[in-house]
């Protein structure tokens, strides 16, 4: 079924990422993972992944180590708050813009 | 009884793309993401204007990988009926129809259509995500805004009326399944959706949704705030299966523990309740205690 | 096969012949017998359709919108306040380009309550982006329903088939009931360009921006304005498609005429009465009477009100001395909407000819007030003799 013609005359949206743009730019703080504290990293087997479950923006991977997609991470801090071992800390973005400049 | 889903057994397939327009730390985004995992790929969605319309994306980009019909504010459940009727006439019986609507779209303007569809026994899942206000239009009071909450149109005195008990209204429609859930307990939401999928008629979900800008808390505490609502016994997680009421998940555990966190902690975690006085809070605490005393008594009788 | 039935039954039979898949309706007088009939067909198994007894007209149209978006041929019917209650949904159906067909059994709107016939209900929905057809007898009702489904699905625009409450809905008349095989030949099953389905997910009617925007393929998609512009453009071009529908219908069923207008004794007329619906057939009696007095009048029914067949109308009225517009509705605060539309069509197409017919406007039958043929005859006679003092003039007013 070709939808192109139909899309011309109606509001017919197809799915894709980043409708809100690179939402990583909204971030004030950046989540930083300390692997030495992260449960699945330490055990080297699938475990915990609480950060993956609660991330509202689906930017944490369910992998060892969990990876955060900074292009879209909005920096809400839920992952840091919910991590049982405090393996994620929120760091002021200003630190990184300094770094970027260097 | 189905086995409880764990983080490790939760399906990894995602139906929402990253980079949505939802606010930082949006509770709806969590519930929606996990809810869609439970509904699965073979689903058609209906959505009225709300924060979810924004999360869903602006033409021509959709953030959701499922087909979705955006409808007018008052017509959500009736639209679900129209999809169901068509699928039936096409002989497609394996497609799940699910409506996601806000609390305003459910408890106020959409209640008539919802009641109609429920009464007709139309076989779909209706999920009301309750962020306790008209958030999309800038945080005005809705029928489910709780007593005492400051909103854009209850700016100084807070809402003077009680929250409307929509799950009870829906239970009065003799539904096969009514459940309350919370974004802070996504696995419970997941399991409840799976459980009710094959039940007949309309199924109703009421999902408590912490909302940073609407409720006034730092986004990072969203799950904590949602959990506090449950642990204080203020917002209860339960299901009503064919008329049988049963506390579930964290609320069920509270009955075992016989211990509630003082509701004050929930109120003080959010700025919208800042005008609640100690006396008012004590009053609400008494009501909660009475409600739970009844739960304990029922538990003892069993 | 010729049968004798009321107008509502004619509509119901048309819907049945068109094999509508989903029907949603809420009772309101004088529409009720039509939708009751449909529920009967469905319950008896004479019609394979889903009949949804909704809890409001707003929901009736919601069901039709959703059904049509999922690929169903959808139908509903209503009157008066039911139509007004749908208003938001009516606009939505047009903006979403859904080929829903709805019968509007014309009735006065409240306040105060009144269940009798006028056309304020459908006229007040003129600007919603729907096609509006008006019927003058039972044959036109059943034929229009059949043509409406074909046309709506061709142009992806919803259609209201309007007919007068009681005067047509509740009166019995003979008409030809088309054969099912012929209807099937005329109207193939509905095949939408897109229907909601999990294999090809799309989000329909999402928030659409004022400006254009890049889609997921990297191509430029329309903004809200382009989508709305196309609705207007395709409404205008649907006039030509309506002519094709009429031609196709005539080929298969052996009847039909001008798709837009229905002139009666207009060729040599100096004055032409114009109106919508059954009133124009009543006016034929007046025309016949006046012709006996050698007054050269004719009457022209307008069958298509939106899109407005301005050119066809202006051509038919070219060279006439006067046009006398009778309406059962008005645009409060000015005049009859049809009179305004006519004037603009005449100005547009005839201003250059050096002669513009004089347009006079009469309001009649509001809230079911009896329209006496004598009054119509007298009004017509007077209007051919001198210009009326006040416009619009209300006929039959007892003030
Ligand atoms: C008929 C109608 N009235 C009002 C609105 C404006 N409106 C759009 S979204 C909205 C608020 C929705 O509140 P809720 O359903 O609780 O969802 P939330 O925005 O909180 O997610 C309102 C009032 C509308 N779109 N349609
Ligand atoms: S929540 Fe913390 S410990 Fe658990 S996987 Fe995520 S980072 Fe590791
Ligand atoms: S939870 Fe929030 S801060 Fe953590 S990765 Fe997800 S969006 Fe970023
Ligand atoms: S206002 Fe609240 S519910 Fe709406 S998108 Fe923002 S956080 Fe989510
Ligand atoms: Mg809300």
């Amino acid at each position: 079924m070709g939808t192109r013609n139909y899309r011309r005359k109606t509001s017919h949206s197809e799915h894709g990422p980043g409708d809100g743009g690179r939402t990583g730019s909204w971030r004030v703080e950046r989540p930083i993972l300390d692997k030495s504290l992260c449960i699945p990293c330490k055990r080297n087997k699938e475990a915990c992944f609480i950060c993956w479950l609660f991330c509202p923006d689906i930017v944490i991977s369910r992998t060892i180590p969990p990876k955060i997609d900074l292009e879209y991470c909005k920096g809400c801090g839920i992952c840091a708050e919910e991590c049982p071992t405090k393996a994620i800390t929120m760091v002021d973005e200003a630190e990184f813009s300094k770094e970027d400049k260097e | 009884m189905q086995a409880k889903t764990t983080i490790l057994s939760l399906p990894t397939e995602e139906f929402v793309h990253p980079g949505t327009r939802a606010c930082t730390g949006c509770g709806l985004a969590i519930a929606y993401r996990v809810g869609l995992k439970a509904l699965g790929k073979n689903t058609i969605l209906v959505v009225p204007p709300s924060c979810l319309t924004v999360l869903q994306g602006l033409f021509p980009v959709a953030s959701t990988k499922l087909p979705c019909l955006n409808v007018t504010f008052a017509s959500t459940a009736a639209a679900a009926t129209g999809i169901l009727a068509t699928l039936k006439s096409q002989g497609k019986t394996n497609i799940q129809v699910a409506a996601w609507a806000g609390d305003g779209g459910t408890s106020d303007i959409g209640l008539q259509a919802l009641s109609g569809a429920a009464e007709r026994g139309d076989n779909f899942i209706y999920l009301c995500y309750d962020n306790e206000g008209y958030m999309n239009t800038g945080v005005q009071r809705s029928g489910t805004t709780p007593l005492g909450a400051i909103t854009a149109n209850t700016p100084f005195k807070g809402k003077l009326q009680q929250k409307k008990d929509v799950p009870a209204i829906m239970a009065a429609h003799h539904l096969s399944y009514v459940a309350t859930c919370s974004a802070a307990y996504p696995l419970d939401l997941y399991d409840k959706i799976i459980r009710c999928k094959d039940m007949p008629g309309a199924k109703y979900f009421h999902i408590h949704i912490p909302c940073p800008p609407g409720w006034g808390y730092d986004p990072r505490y969203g799950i904590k705030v949602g959990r506090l609502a449950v642990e204080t016994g203020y917002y209860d997680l339960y299901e009503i299966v064919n008329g049988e009421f049963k506390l579930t998940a964290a609320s069920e555990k509270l009955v075992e523990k016989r211990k509630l966190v003082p509701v004050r902690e929930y109120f003080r975690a959010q700025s919208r309740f800042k005008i609640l006085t100690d006396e008012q809070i004590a009053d609400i605490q008494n009501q909660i205690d009475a409600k739970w005393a009844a739960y304990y008594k029922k538990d003892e009788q069993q | 096969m010729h049968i004798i039935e009321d107008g509502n039954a004619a509509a119901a039979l048309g819907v049945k012949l068109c094999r509508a898949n989903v029907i949603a309706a809420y009772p309101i007088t004088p529409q009720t017998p039509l939708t009751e009939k449909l529920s009967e067909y469905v319950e008896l198994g004479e019609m394979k359709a889903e009949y949804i007894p909704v809890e409001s007209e707003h929901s009736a149209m919601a069901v039709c919108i959703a059904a049509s978006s999922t690929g169903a041929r959808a139908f509903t019917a209503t009157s008066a306040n039911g139509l007004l209650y749908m208003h938001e949904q009516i606009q939505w159906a047009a903006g979403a380009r859904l080929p829903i067909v709805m019968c509007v059994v014309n009735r006065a709107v409240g306040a105060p309550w009144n269940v009798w016939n006028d056309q304020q209900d459908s006229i007040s929905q003129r600007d919603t982006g729907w096609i509006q057809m008006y019927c003058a007898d039972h044959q036109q009702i059943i034929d229009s329903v059949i043509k409406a489904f074909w046309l709506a699905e061709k142009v992806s625009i919803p259609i209201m088939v309007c007919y007068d409450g009681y005067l047509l809905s509740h009166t019995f008349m003979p008409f030809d009931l088309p054969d099912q095989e012929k209807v099937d030949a005329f109207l193939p099953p509905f095949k939408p360009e897109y229907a909601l389905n999990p294999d090809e997910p799309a989000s329909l009617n999402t928030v659409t921006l004022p400006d254009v925007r890049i889609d997921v393929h990297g191509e430029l998609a329309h903004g809200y304005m382009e989508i709305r512009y196309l609705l207007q453009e395709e409404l205008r071009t649907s006039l030509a498609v309506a002519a094709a529908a009429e031609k196709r219908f005539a080929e298969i069923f052996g009847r039909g005429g001008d798709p837009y207008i229905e002139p009666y004794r207009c060729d040599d007329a100096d004055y032409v009465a114009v109106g919508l619906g059954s009133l124009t057939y009543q006016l034929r009696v007046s025309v016949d009477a006046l012709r006996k007095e050698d007054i050269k009048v004719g009457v022209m029914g307008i069958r298509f009100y939106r899109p407005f067949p301005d050119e066809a109308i202006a051509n038919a009225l070219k060279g006439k001395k006067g046009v006398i517009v009778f309406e059962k509705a008005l645009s409060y605060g000015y005049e009859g909407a049809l009179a305004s539309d006519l004037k603009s069509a005449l100005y547009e197409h005839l201003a250059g000819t050096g002669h513009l017919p004089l347009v006079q406007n009469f309001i009649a039958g509001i809230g079911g007030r009896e329209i006496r043929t004598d009054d119509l005859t007298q009004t017509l006679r007077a209007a051919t003799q001198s210009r009326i003092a006040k416009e619009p003039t209300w006929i039959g007013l007892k003030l």
Side-chain angles (χ1 to χ4, degrees):
Chain A
M1 221 186 291
T3 61
R4 282 300 165 83
N5 185 34
Y6 194 74
R7 281 176 45 227
R8 273 176 50 76
K9 54 190 175 211
T10 60
S11 173
H12 177 111
S13 299
E14 291 168 289
H15 68 83
D19 164 62
R22 301 231 154 96
T23 49
S25 65
W26 300 9
R27 227 173 24 243
V28 183
E29 288 180 319
R30 180 179 295 191
I32 298 293
L33 175 75
D34 181 346
K35 282 184 231 167
S36 70
L37 293 174
C38 170
I39 298 166
C41 299
K42 280 196 294 186
R43 295 193 198 153
N44 197 25
K45 72 180 241 245
E46 296 208 326
C48 185
F49 294 134
I50 286 175
C51 51
W52 170 75
L53 176 67
F54 284 114
C55 173
D57 287 287
I58 322 179
V59 294
I60 306 186
S61 65
R62 195 180 157 294
T63 52
I64 309 170
K67 287 200 203 79
I68 298 174
D69 180 355
L70 290 175
E71 188 170 338
Y72 293 119
C73 160
K74 294 172 184 164
C76 66
I78 286 176
C79 53
E81 190 61 31
E82 295 307 314
C83 172
T85 60
K86 301 269 166 258
I88 299 175
T89 42
M90 300 304 290
V91 181
D92 196 330
E93 275 293 328
E95 303 285 322
F96 303 99
S97 48
K98 252 185 268 161
E99 216 171 78
D100 290 347
K101 271 181 211 141
E102 277 158 22
Chain B
M1 191 78 192
Q2 77 200 61
K4 279 205 163 70
T5 301
T6 63
I7 298 180
L8 293 183
S9 66
L10 185 70
T12 52
E13 190 181 359
E14 302 290 352
F15 296 98
V16 185
H17 287 285
T20 71
R21 287 168 206 261
C23 308
T24 304
C26 172
L28 166 60
I30 299 170
Y32 187 57
R33 170 194 176 206
V34 175
L36 293 192
K37 283 175 188 268
L39 290 167
K41 185 188 171 300
N42 221 9
T43 301
I44 298 178
L45 301 171
V46 183
V47 173
S50 57
C51 282
L52 187 50
T53 327
V54 177
L55 189 157
Q56 286 257 358
L58 270 44
F59 177 72
V61 184
S63 69
T64 304
K65 301 177 191 174
L66 298 175
C68 175
L69 185 64
N70 289 272
V71 299
T72 59
F73 208 12
S75 69
T76 314
T81 299
I83 295 172
L84 279 166
T86 306
L87 293 175
K88 199 168 158 204
S89 77
Q90 294 167 342
K92 295 179 186 160
T93 49
N94 61 337
I95 297 176
Q96 177 69 56
V97 176
W100 285 79
D103 51 293
T106 301
S107 72
D108 296 335
I109 197 168
L111 193 59
Q112 173 179 305
L114 173 58
S115 174
E119 183 268 336
R120 287 190 300 269
D122 295 333
N123 185 355
F124 72 114
I125 301 179
Y126 188 103
L127 302 109
C128 165
Y129 69 90
D130 184 8
N131 51 20
E132 304 192 317
Y134 290 102
M135 299 322 187
N136 187 240
T137 37
V139 195
Q140 293 84 17
R141 83 189 277 289
S142 79
T144 67
T145 300
L147 181 86
I150 287 182
T151 67
N153 60 355
T154 55
F156 305 117
K157 296 181 183 168
K159 189 181 168 191
L160 300 175
Q161 300 82 12
Q162 297 238 16
K163 183 182 175 85
K164 194 188 281 191
D165 190 351
V166 186
I169 296 172
M170 295 321 295
H173 286 74
H174 315 293
L175 299 188
S176 59
Y177 194 81
V178 173
T180 59
C181 297
S182 162
Y185 300 88
L187 297 174
D188 177 52
L189 169 64
Y190 180 87
D191 281 338
K192 283 172 171 165
I193 293 175
I194 298 286
R195 190 169 314 148
C196 78
K197 266 182 154 180
D198 293 328
M199 295 186 184
K203 278 77 68 175
Y204 179 78
F205 282 72
H206 199 92
I207 312 166
H208 204 219
I209 299 289
C211 161
W215 293 12
Y217 63 83
D218 182 327
R220 70 182 283 153
Y221 300 118
I223 302 303
K224 293 239 146 65
V225 169
R227 231 181 253 137
L228 268 175
V230 172
E231 287 169 350
T232 54
Y234 179 76
Y235 182 89
D236 306 337
L237 303 179
Y238 58 81
E239 56 186 13
I240 305 173
V241 185
N242 295 316
E244 285 287 316
F245 176 97
K246 186 175 168 294
L247 288 173
T248 55
S251 294
E252 193 180 14
K253 288 205 188 90
L254 285 178
V255 174
E256 288 159 27
K257 276 206 243 162
R258 291 276 194 284
K259 190 163 165 43
L260 303 173
V261 175
V263 74
R264 177 187 185 81
E265 288 188 30
Y266 174 65
F267 290 139
R268 292 304 182 227
Q270 308 161 62
S271 66
R272 64 175 170 155
F273 291 114
K274 65 179 177 220
I275 49 115
L276 275 184
T277 61
D278 286 344
E279 294 76 58
Q280 283 173 310
I281 292 178
D283 222 40
I284 296 170
Q285 185 66 61
N286 286 339
Q287 286 167 28
I288 292 173
D289 290 344
K291 177 177 75 178
W292 281 84
Y295 288 154
Y296 299 152
K297 196 164 159 205
K298 198 171 156 207
D299 181 52
E300 277 153 22
Q301 282 161 357
Q302 271 162 7
Chain C
M1 185 177 62
H2 271 81
I3 58 168
I4 298 177
E5 271 291 1
D6 66 21
N8 277 329
L13 286 163
V15 175
K16 183 178 159 202
L17 286 167
C18 289
R19 304 185 190 276
N21 308 114
V22 174
I23 298 157
Y26 190 77
I28 184 165
T29 304
Q31 157 265 36
T32 1
L34 155 56
T35 51
E36 283 169 357
K37 203 50 153 211
L38 289 170
S39 70
E40 219 174 279
Y41 297 150
V42 173
E43 276 201 16
L44 291 172
E46 290 175 16
M47 190 181 177
K48 214 181 138 281
E50 296 298 318
Y51 182 91
I52 315 291
V54 281
E55 82 302 325
S56 74
E57 289 86 356
H58 195 277
S59 286
M61 190 49 71
V63 167
C64 288
I65 287 168
S68 189
S69 304
T70 318
R73 181 170 288 161
F75 176 82
T76 185
T78 190
S79 299
N81 288 59
L83 184 66
L84 305 189
Y85 195 51
M86 270 182 197
H87 182 64
E88 171 190 41
Q89 300 289 76
I90 288 173
Q91 302 258 10
W92 195 269
R97 303 297 299 271
L98 301 168
I100 297 161
V101 171
M102 166 163 65
C103 281
V104 177
V105 190
N106 289 116
R107 164 184 155 180
V109 302
W113 280 121
N114 176 298
V115 298
W116 294 275
N117 166 249
D118 69 27
Q119 295 172 338
Q120 191 65 37
D121 51 0
S122 57
I123 294 297
S124 76
Q125 304 302 309
R126 181 189 65 171
D127 300 338
T128 52
W130 282 56
I131 291 169
Q132 284 198 353
M133 297 164 80
Y134 285 81
C135 310
D137 67 11
H138 295 27
Q139 193 68 59
Q140 284 184 11
I141 294 175
I142 189 164
D143 291 356
S144 296
V145 166
I146 298 167
K147 286 177 211 164
F149 276 112
W150 187 87
L151 175 59
E153 289 168 14
K154 266 276 176 290
V155 297
S156 299
I157 294 172
I159 301 187
M160 289 180 207
V161 175
C162 310
Y163 57 91
D164 291 305
Y166 298 110
L167 301 174
L168 294 179
S169 68
H170 285 62
T171 53
F172 283 75
M173 271 193 226
F175 58 92
D176 176 60
L177 178 68
D179 292 338
Q180 182 69 62
E181 302 82 71
K182 283 189 179 171
V183 176
D184 289 342
F186 177 77
L187 180 70
F190 174 40
K191 287 219 173 56
E193 286 176 67
Y194 175 77
L196 286 166
N197 76 92
D199 294 331
E200 198 187 0
S203 196
L204 307 184
N205 316 318
T206 42
V207 177
T208 299
L209 294 163
D211 212 342
V212 295
R213 191 178 177 217
I214 300 289
D215 71 10
V216 296
H217 309 285
E219 290 170 26
L220 206 56
H222 292 151
Y224 178 89
M225 193 145 141
E226 285 70 28
I227 288 171
R228 285 284 164 167
Y229 170 81
L230 286 170
L231 173 60
Q232 159 68 1
E233 280 305 290
E234 292 175 25
L235 259 166
R236 292 303 299 168
T237 52
S238 69
L239 278 172
V241 188
E246 191 73 16
K247 188 158 166 274
R248 183 180 160 85
F249 192 90
E251 280 163 14
I252 295 178
F253 299 95
R255 65 172 167 269
D258 190 300
Y260 317 125
I261 53 176
E262 205 181 8
Y264 177 77
R265 302 185 85 161
C266 284
D267 284 350
D268 65 336
D270 292 328
Y271 293 88
V272 175
V274 177
L276 298 165
S278 63
L279 178 61
T280 57
Y281 279 17
Q282 193 182 356
L283 278 160
R284 289 182 176 190
V285 181
S286 299
V287 164
D288 288 343
L290 291 169
R291 284 277 177 172
K292 286 190 190 125
E293 299 171 21
D294 276 338
I295 299 176
K296 283 189 175 175
V297 289
V299 56
M300 187 171 87
I302 294 184
R303 301 175 59 190
F304 244 76
Y305 183 42
R306 278 294 179 274
F308 196 55
D310 52 316
E311 204 173 341
I313 290 171
N315 282 339
L317 297 175
K318 196 168 165 184
K320 306 297 178 202
K321 288 186 182 147
V323 178
I324 304 142
V325 189
F326 290 88
E327 294 186 68
K328 291 182 183 178
L330 72 163
S331 171
Y332 279 91
Y334 190 32
E335 61 183 358
L338 176 59
S340 297
D341 289 337
L342 258 166
K343 285 183 200 169
S344 115
L346 296 179
Y347 183 85
E348 172 77 20
H349 297 283
L350 303 182
T353 65
H355 170 71
L356 279 172
L358 173 69
V359 178
Q360 303 185 68
N361 189 198
F362 295 91
I363 306 298
I366 296 298
R369 171 64 57 87
E370 189 190 1
I371 303 176
R372 295 176 47 230
T373 306
D374 275 356
D375 285 349
L376 292 178
T377 311
Q378 235 177 59
T379 305
L380 264 182
R381 189 189 292 114
T384 58
Q385 283 159 5
S386 62
R387 185 171 186 163
I388 49 167
K390 179 172 173 262
E391 287 198 66
T393 294
W394 292 52
I395 307 173
L397 197 63
K398 297 180 180 171
L399 266 180

